Amino acid sequence: MSILLYSTAMNSTRMAAPLQLPRVAQRRFFSSSPIRRRIVDISTLPDRIVPNYQQSQTSSLLSLHWPQPPRNILLMPKLHAPHVIVSAVEFAKHVHSNYPGLNLVFENHVAEKIHETLPFPIYTTDAREATFQFAQKIDLVTTMGGDGTILRAASLFSQQTIVPPILSFNMGTLGFLGEWKFDEYKRAWRECYMSGSPVTVEDLVAPHTQAAVTSRRLDRQDANGDDQTPSSPTGWDIVRGNGKSMGLSRTAKILLRSRLRVGIYDARGRNISDQLMPTSTAEPDLGTPPDHTSDWTLPSARPAEGGGSHQPMHAINEVSIDRGVHPHLAMIEIYVNGQPLTEAVADGILISTPTGSTAYSLSAGGSIVHPVVESLLITPISPRSLSFRPLVLPLRSKVTLKLSKRNRARELPVSIDGKRRIGVSIGMEVRVEGERLEKMPEGWRGGVPCVIPRGDAEGQDDDSWVAGLNGLLKFNHPFGEQNEGH
């Protein structure tokens, strides 16, 4: 009998013990900070906020106006650069602590490395879903690296007609496109985040503004039949810290960089741009997204050209076709607006934007074009004929590239911004035209909006481009040493 009682007691103890575990785990979930260092799927976030851009008669730049505070921020540090990851963590902690309501998003492979260093949840998505989910969720992109990091960011939205603003910090090798130094990140972020705020930065922390904000919130709650207990302010209402007030007219400035619309067509005229593959396996987020029955697009989005079901790709730098590994020069037929221009015999051909005029095209001997000039460039790569000079065409020119039937190689590689590639053979076409920059009822469509520093005076917003030519590209820099006074 005693043995039976002992056995029954032990069984009772074993059955009761598990009932206490959920309560312990539940308390630890809300109180232990290590549990908060987790990765959450981006699909749980609200849809993106599309900002407005306003033109000025005195500047070629646009002004950024957020209709409400941005919430979902994609943070993209340079790959394989540990010191940049450290800076990204510093930036993430600063904006999360001082700008409540922000959701920080990372690419999947970056999130896996960085989430243990952040005491708050971060968001990401599967690599195959990245281009679709980012287009649906991201309000603003912040890059930390060089020109390659900016290209990587732009490539994630290469199938979209409206790209989120890009705030770029120069932490790369050259950084001609990077507009901000990292030690300016607090000011740069404040300008970008507060741009379009209905009240100034200083007024946000003033007692009379806080009282007015609380009063308006109570009025809205009363109108909705809710109780009048003050709710926690969010977004612009509780931006903390001191700093110079931007004022109602001091908005962040936007340089809208034009892009190329690119379509790859097979011998039957079908758009096969969906077959483009990432150039590097280190960037899996640039892979072809899975089919979605209803991709996120704005109401005015056009259908794919040529009647196909695939949206054209976009390039912020250039489209290139070259001889690749083949020993013979490539023979490429070039058409402009349907008219035959020439049959190029060269290592390859580049079709570039003004932004790309300081990239591959510059190395191939192409002209340097200011990024606000609406144009596209045709630049030969090591042509056989010395009379084949680079051309600058209107932005809306339609350029078609075909492999000549006399071309010895049966297939040549085509690359878009060096990020995606595909092989084209005889009978296929590469169709390129400048993307239209249009002001629509829902905002600007086309181009890549880049947040740039304000000039010291009106009309001097573009000085960073000239400074970049002299400081980074050493424009017309003399050879050898110059003696003072000579």
Side-chain angles (χ1 to χ4, degrees):
M1 180 66 69
S2 61
I3 295 176
L4 178 61
L5 291 175
Y6 176 78
S7 175
T8 304
M10 288 298 293
N11 289 337
S12 301
T13 303
R14 290 171 183 167
M15 294 176 60
L19 299 177
Q20 298 176 359
L21 292 178
R23 292 195 295 271
V24 174
Q26 188 174 16
R27 287 196 298 270
R28 286 183 57 82
F29 181 82
F30 292 103
S31 63
S32 178
S33 59
I35 299 298
R36 295 181 59 83
R37 294 175 179 150
R38 64 187 187 275
I39 303 176
V40 184
D41 192 87
I42 193 176
S43 62
T44 61
L45 296 178
D47 284 347
R48 65 180 286 194
I49 297 170
V50 179
N52 300 315
Y53 304 103
Q54 295 184 3
Q55 286 180 300
S56 169
Q57 297 181 350
T58 59
S59 175
S60 57
L61 304 179
L62 303 176
S63 297
L64 172 64
H65 292 263
W66 293 104
Q68 62 188 88
R71 298 167 296 188
N72 307 330
I73 314 302
L74 175 60
L75 185 54
M76 299 184 64
K78 180 180 179 180
L79 298 177
H80 315 300
H83 69 285
V84 178
I85 294 295
V86 173
S87 298
V89 171
E90 176 185 344
F91 177 85
K93 290 181 178 179
H94 169 75
V95 298
H96 187 270
S97 299
N98 294 279
Y99 297 84
L102 290 184
N103 307 304
L104 297 180
V105 183
F106 295 86
E107 297 163 285
N108 184 270
H109 55 286
V110 177
E112 292 291 342
K113 298 178 181 179
I114 204 172
H115 79 280
E116 288 290 344
T117 63
L118 296 173
F120 49 82
I122 61 175
Y123 298 82
T124 191
T125 186
D126 181 78
R128 281 182 50 83
E129 293 278 348
T131 54
F132 169 73
Q133 291 288 357
F134 289 166
Q136 191 177 28
K137 301 295 184 180
I138 298 302
D139 303 333
L140 173 69
V141 181
T142 299
T143 66
M144 296 181 180
D147 296 348
T149 308
I150 298 175
L151 289 180
R152 196 171 98 237
S155 295
L156 289 171
F157 301 91
S158 60
Q159 289 183 294
Q160 304 300 320
T161 56
I162 295 186
V163 180
I166 297 180
L167 175 65
S168 56
F169 295 100
N170 182 8
M171 303 181 71
T173 305
L174 182 61
F176 187 75
L177 302 183
E179 299 288 351
W180 297 85
K181 297 178 182 178
F182 183 69
D183 56 13
E184 302 174 308
Y185 77 84
K186 293 182 180 180
R187 179 175 71 90
W189 175 259
R190 178 183 288 273
E191 283 191 14
C192 184
Y193 179 85
M194 297 301 301
S195 193
S197 169
V199 293
T200 62
V201 175
E202 287 176 351
D203 282 345
L204 285 173
V205 296
H208 68 278
T209 303
Q210 292 295 325
V213 169
T214 302
S215 176
R216 289 195 299 270
R217 189 176 297 109
L218 289 176
D219 291 342
R220 289 196 299 267
Q221 292 175 346
D222 184 55
N224 294 331
D226 301 330
D227 62 71
Q228 297 191 20
T229 304
S231 60
S232 299
T234 59
W236 288 327
D237 296 344
I238 52 174
V239 171
R240 296 191 296 270
N242 297 320
K244 183 178 180 181
S245 172
M246 289 180 61
L248 298 180
S249 62
R250 288 184 58 84
T251 55
K253 292 299 181 182
I254 294 292
L255 171 60
L256 192 60
R257 297 183 180 273
S258 60
R259 299 185 298 179
L260 301 174
R261 287 167 43 110
V262 187
I264 311 296
Y265 292 82
D266 65 13
R268 290 186 286 179
R270 296 179 306 178
N271 189 331
I272 58 171
S273 299
D274 61 324
Q275 297 180 21
L276 285 157
M277 298 297 293
T279 303
S280 171
T281 56
E283 298 176 299
D285 299 281
L286 298 181
T288 303
D291 291 333
H292 291 272
T293 55
S294 58
D295 284 6
W296 186 89
T297 53
L298 292 178
S300 57
R302 293 191 184 93
E305 64 173 294
S309 60
H310 303 294
Q311 293 290 340
M313 304 294 289
H314 295 87
I316 188 176
N317 258 7
E318 76 275 314
V319 178
S320 68
I321 180 171
D322 59 75
R323 63 186 178 94
V325 298
H326 303 291
H328 306 288
L329 293 177
M331 296 183 179
I332 304 167
E333 297 175 357
I334 305 176
Y335 298 80
V336 177
N337 296 326
Q339 301 297 317
L341 174 66
T342 187
E343 181 184 76
V345 182
D347 276 355
I349 295 293
L350 298 170
I351 311 296
S352 305
T353 64
T355 295
S357 70
T358 53
Y360 196 173
S361 177
L362 177 62
S363 300
S367 302
I368 299 177
V369 182
H370 194 283
V372 302
V373 178
E374 296 186 355
S375 59
L376 58 84
L377 295 78
I378 300 179
T379 307
I381 305 172
S382 301
R384 184 176 66 180
S385 173
L386 296 178
S387 62
F388 192 165
R389 311 312 302 162
L391 299 176
V392 180
L393 303 177
L395 178 66
R396 297 193 178 184
S397 301
K398 297 182 179 181
V399 179
T400 302
L401 305 177
K402 302 179 183 179
L403 265 66
S404 169
K405 294 181 180 179
R406 300 191 302 122
N407 193 75
R408 294 193 182 185
R410 297 295 91 186
E411 184 178 277
L412 296 183
V414 171
S415 174
I416 299 179
D417 278 341
K419 299 296 182 182
R420 293 184 173 93
R421 58 180 172 79
I422 193 173
V424 296
S425 55
I426 294 175
M428 298 176 65
E429 296 183 0
V430 180
R431 303 177 190 175
V432 184
E433 64 177 305
E435 183 187 22
R436 293 179 175 87
L437 305 179
E438 299 175 302
K439 189 174 183 180
M440 308 300 294
E442 68 274 7
W444 278 89
R445 182 175 64 189
V448 178
C450 299
V451 183
I452 70 171
R454 297 179 57 91
D456 295 330
E458 192 70 24
Q460 293 185 358
D461 300 303
D462 301 347
D463 281 358
S464 60
W465 185 79
V466 176
L469 288 183
N470 291 319
L472 297 174
L473 299 184
K474 307 298 180 184
F475 181 75
N476 197 30
H477 194 72
F479 292 95
E481 296 182 0
Q482 280 189 311
N483 296 326
E484 255 184 71
H486 295 280

